[in-house]
Amino acid sequence: MNVLCLLPASDYDPTEAATSWYALTQAGHQVRFTSPSSQPAHADLRLTHTGFGLFNSVFMTRNPDLELYRQMAASPDFQAPLAYADVNPGDFGALLIPGGHAAGMRSMLESSTAQAICSHFFTAGKHVAAVCHGVLLPTRSIDPATGRSVLHGRRTTALPASLELGAWAMTAAWLGRYYRTYPQTVQSEVTAALARPADFDAGPLFPVRDSAQNHRPGFIVRDGRYLSARWPGDCHKFAAAFVEMLAEAC
């Protein structure tokens, strides 16, 4: 299947993109990338290079996932992304929306063109997988038939407020609002767009990172052909579930 990966100009989370890219390509799917202006969209440098000082072990990308990101960034499809305006959504059967929290994410989340692409996949009944802040894109994407978010009536997860505010509190003294993409938390905005507050599932209160060897700690929510996860620590389970979901359609 042809899968479209929507990326911002910069600042997405490398784990959230690369783990799914790797799983999809290993399963034989073709992954094409799109960015605002057809330039390669590189991940948040603080997660890949700059780091967090004493908090590196908590916040920085794990080495195995960083290696997957390097492989993805070196791939021909990554190096030649489509511009949002040049995407024909009809050419793709599935959509992947990674997240991230630094300021560059706004170039995707606030793009009306990206929102229109996202809306197509939902209204056409295609497969969509979104993680963390990436869930804000379908939250803001409107179904023209209802005038509501395409997530209205669906169950989802996304970055829980407890994780977002916790990371901000730990780093605000020197990183300011780095972990606060918007004044409103992701959980709050997503929940407001749903049919019922109970349709948002934040998962276990104390999340544990999964790995390529152990998917069990990961948390995902599947609603039909829509799959969501909370943070990089869910992404190995998320990637495997996305591959399984696409296999059902093949």
Side-chain angles (χ1 to χ4, degrees), residues 39-125:
Q39 296 299 310
H42 293 285
D44 183 345
L45 289 175
R46 187 167 291 280
L47 296 174
T48 61
H49 293 85
T50 310
F52 298 83
L54 295 176
F55 291 100
N56 278 353
S57 63
V58 178
F59 295 117
M60 205 165 179
T61 301
R62 276 32 180 183
N63 285 333
D65 300 329
L66 190 57
E67 176 56 31
L68 294 182
Y69 168 69
R70 290 174 180 140
Q71 292 179 33
M72 182 185 77
S75 69
D77 285 325
F78 181 90
Q79 291 295 325
L82 299 165
Y84 290 169
D86 295 334
V87 170
N88 178 3
D91 291 339
F92 300 92
L95 179 66
L96 172 64
I97 315 171
H101 47 267
M105 280 296 296
R106 297 172 187 164
S107 62
M108 178 182 77
L109 299 176
E110 298 174 9
S111 166
S112 60
T113 307
Q115 291 167 15
I117 292 169
C118 181
S119 178
H120 163 86
F121 281 85
F122 277 93
T123 58

Side-chain angles (χ1 to χ4, degrees), residues 97 118 122 128-140 149-161 185-204 219-231 234 238:
I97 315 171
C118 181
F122 277 93
V128 180
V131 55
C132 195
H133 282 66
V135 178
L136 286 176
L137 187 66
T139 299
R140 298 172 178 183
S149 166
V150 295
L151 291 186
H152 190 88
R154 290 181 167 89
R155 294 178 57 251
T156 191
T157 191
L159 181 68
T185 65
V186 172
Q187 179 175 344
S188 178
E189 181 174 348
V190 173
T191 301
L194 303 179
R196 304 177 306 145
D199 288 339
F200 186 93
D201 191 340
F219 177 80
I220 57 175
V221 172
R222 180 174 175 183
D223 187 328
R225 295 182 175 181
Y226 169 59
L227 180 71
S228 56
R230 303 167 300 171
W231 69 311
D234 297 327
F238 173 77

Side-chain angles (χ1 to χ4, degrees), residues 1-5 17-33 72 75-78 91-96 127 129 227 238-250:
M1 185 178 292
N2 288 331
V3 180
L4 182 66
C5 181
T19 52
S20 287
W21 167 83
Y22 182 77
L24 290 164
T25 55
Q26 290 296 297
H29 300 289
Q30 176 74 33
V31 181
R32 293 294 308 276
F33 296 88
M72 182 185 77
S75 69
D77 285 325
F78 181 90
D91 291 339
F92 300 92
L95 179 66
L96 172 64
H127 299 83
L227 180 71
F238 173 77
F242 194 24
V243 169
E244 290 175 7
M245 191 165 73
L246 297 189
E248 295 171 3
C250 294

